[in-house]
Amino acid sequence: MNPTTESAVPVAPLPNAPRSPGRWRVHRAWVVAAVTFVTIIGGAAINAMPGLLFDPLQDDFGWSRGEIGFAVSIDMALYGITAPFAAAMMDRFGIRRVVAVALSAIAAGALASVWMTAAWQLMLYWGVLVGLGTGSMALAFSATVTNRWFTTRRGLVTGVLTAAGASGQLVFLPLCAWIVDRHGWRPASVTVALAALVVVPFVWLLMRDHPADVGLAPYGGDYVEKPAPARGAAGRAVRVLFDAARTGPFWLLAGSFAICGASTNGLIRTHFVPSAHDHHMPITAAASLLAVIGIFDIIGTVFSGWLTDRFDARRLLAVYYSLRGISLLFLPLLMHPTVEPPMVLFIVFYGLDWVATVPPTLALCREQYGEDSAIVFVWVLASHQVGAALVAFLGGVARDYFGSYDVVWYAAGALCAVATLMVLVIRRVREPAGAALAA
């Protein structure tokens, strides 16, 4: 029995036979993708906070922007370093368990910060706990779900799930900014903690680790038995890294994605709001602009997934990075106390380009590394977060030293030109997927 074929005559399935999704029922893969989308939104609530914390924490505790930026950099670095092992743990212990624990860690870090009194506590709660929690899901989570549950429409699903983070930003940034402005940063921390906790029941009740758990084939593919739980998952993640590190494309992908992280999470997400506030723009207005990026991020990322299914991923990435770099060079000229039309145009463009890089980068990982692509991708993601961490910290230091962020915007624009060159020299694989690591 072909699990993807619907029969006109109902037939009782054999005890262990794969089941058809039914003529009128939505394939379970889309239900799992929907739960994943909601989960990422709940986890992304925490990402709305860092840029809103600089001024309140400076006012309350007298901490420098470099100190606050260092806590954010710990969060981002651990996010990236944890992700490869989290993907492997999902193979070993299951998606539901790993994601439920990750959401609980995020909530614990956000709640504990309400009682902090020293900078090292910010680094522990927002840096370590939140970093470990977010690193255990996010893009690693979506990549694992996509690879297990979908054979076709992977580019589209990758784009939709990647856009979930932007959707969370869209929902929570204006809300958190309003709470910070009216009631202070502590109630905002409690809000994002509750947002993470409320998603846990959805994960536990509706998420399934593998299509075979419900007797189905992946969407668009053939039925396969669920593999036995992997042992030595952490060791496998390290082995895959060592194998991939022997190939040139890995370093080109990792380097370009590090610049992607530096120019998005590390720069805009972390420092746009305090930079705009330096120019006397109200924090609620600056946060709303950042949230608008989330609207167009959804459009741009989904469209990028559609394009990735049809065009050369290298050329797509080259276009994305080059246009991003040009836009950053103009940003210092657009900062004003009020929101002017040129700034709106920048926000719209940057939103379309924000994580449009993810679907083609993941596609290149699949092309180069086959069955190991999910783990390779999360190592590439680790470089993304290391790049973000460096700029989150150095951007704060630069602001303390120069009194403005202008040099950071210009440097990031130049780095995007480097990323453009890096992706253009990646060679297309002509052999079957998976041969690259064996070569």
Side-chain angles (χ1 to χ4, degrees):
M1 178 179 176
N2 184 345
T4 61
T5 304
E6 299 169 353
S7 174
V9 180
V11 178
L14 295 174
N16 296 319
R19 295 186 288 106
S20 169
R23 181 177 297 275
W24 302 111
R25 291 176 58 192
V26 174
H27 194 288
R28 184 61 177 268
W30 295 109
V31 176
V32 172
V35 174
T36 304
F37 187 89
V38 173
T39 302
I40 295 172
I41 288 178
I46 202 75
N47 293 326
M49 287 296 292
L52 306 178
L53 292 177
F54 281 81
D55 289 315
L57 293 181
Q58 274 191 310
D59 294 340
D60 280 6
F61 303 109
W63 300 336
S64 70
R65 296 201 184 192
E67 287 178 301
I68 301 168
F70 185 63
V72 177
S73 73
I74 293 173
D75 167 18
M76 292 181 175
L78 283 178
Y79 177 113
I81 295 170
T82 303
F85 299 101
M89 290 300 106
M90 287 178 189
D91 286 341
R92 177 68 179 87
F93 300 108
I95 296 173
R96 287 197 301 173
R97 291 189 182 96
V98 172
V99 173
V101 171
L103 289 168
S104 300
I106 291 170
L111 282 175
S113 69
V114 171
W115 295 280
M116 66 184 178
T117 57
W120 68 264
Q121 293 171 323
L122 176 67
M123 296 168 192
L124 174 62
Y125 302 148
W126 280 85
V128 177
L129 282 178
V130 172
L132 291 174
T134 54
S136 297
M137 37 184 293
L139 293 180
F141 177 31
S142 63
T144 302
V145 168
T146 302
N147 286 347
R148 289 186 184 182
W149 280 90
F150 291 87
T151 299
T152 60
R153 300 293 187 269
R154 281 180 170 176
L156 176 62
V157 173
T158 299
V160 171
L161 295 183
T162 302
S167 301
Q169 175 177 292
L170 171 63
V171 171
F172 287 102
L173 253 175
L175 174 63
C176 290
W178 180 83
I179 294 173
V180 169
D181 188 51
R182 295 294 183 89
H183 305 288
W185 61 270
R186 288 181 176 87
S189 294
V190 174
T191 300
V192 298
L194 293 177
L197 284 177
V198 78
V199 180
V200 174
F202 290 94
V203 173
W204 198 256
L205 295 175
L206 299 177
M207 178 64 65
R208 292 296 180 268
D209 293 332
H210 194 279
D213 287 342
V214 287
L216 294 176
Y219 183 83
D222 297 323
Y223 180 84
V224 293
E225 293 291 340
K226 182 179 180 179
R231 297 188 180 276
R236 181 188 173 208
V238 174
R239 286 194 300 273
V240 170
L241 171 63
F242 285 161
D243 288 341
R246 298 189 185 103
T247 66
F250 174 79
W251 294 106
L252 294 170
L253 287 167
S256 60
F257 218 41
I259 294 172
C260 178
S263 56
T264 53
N265 291 354
L267 185 60
I268 298 295
R269 175 173 287 169
T270 305
H271 293 293
F272 177 82
V273 171
S275 177
H277 195 54
D278 282 349
H279 290 79
H280 309 293
M281 183 181 291
I283 188 173
T284 50
S288 296
L289 286 174
L290 201 55
V292 170
I293 285 180
I295 299 175
F296 291 94
D297 182 12
I298 297 170
I299 299 170
T301 307
V302 173
F303 185 53
S304 179
W306 184 86
L307 291 174
T308 301
D309 288 333
R310 291 162 175 79
F311 298 102
D312 185 350
R314 295 155 193 77
R315 294 184 179 181
L316 290 176
L317 286 172
V319 171
Y320 298 157
Y321 285 128
S322 59
L323 293 178
R324 180 185 298 180
I326 292 170
S327 69
L328 285 171
L329 296 177
F330 285 97
L331 182 57
L333 303 176
L334 308 180
M335 291 290 186
H336 296 286
T338 58
V339 179
E340 304 292 339
M343 175 61 82
V344 175
L345 291 176
F346 171 85
I347 292 296
V348 170
F349 171 78
Y350 216 82
L352 292 172
D353 190 73
W354 183 269
V355 285
T357 55
V358 172
T361 300
L362 182 52
L364 288 175
C365 287
R366 290 196 194 104
E367 176 185 308
Q368 297 285 336
Y369 303 108
E371 293 182 356
D372 287 327
S373 62
I375 294 179
V376 172
F377 175 69
V378 290
W379 280 116
V380 172
L381 172 63
S383 72
H384 180 281
Q385 293 307 113
V386 170
L390 287 172
V391 172
F393 171 57
L394 294 177
V397 172
R399 167 60 177 78
D400 290 334
Y401 184 80
F402 293 106
S404 78
Y405 285 101
D406 289 1
V407 67
V408 184
W409 306 128
Y410 296 140
L415 284 174
C416 287
V418 175
T420 301
L421 297 176
M422 294 176 78
V423 296
L424 285 175
V425 299
I426 298 174
R427 294 183 179 180
R428 178 181 291 276
V429 172
R430 300 297 181 184
E431 58 212 14
L437 289 181

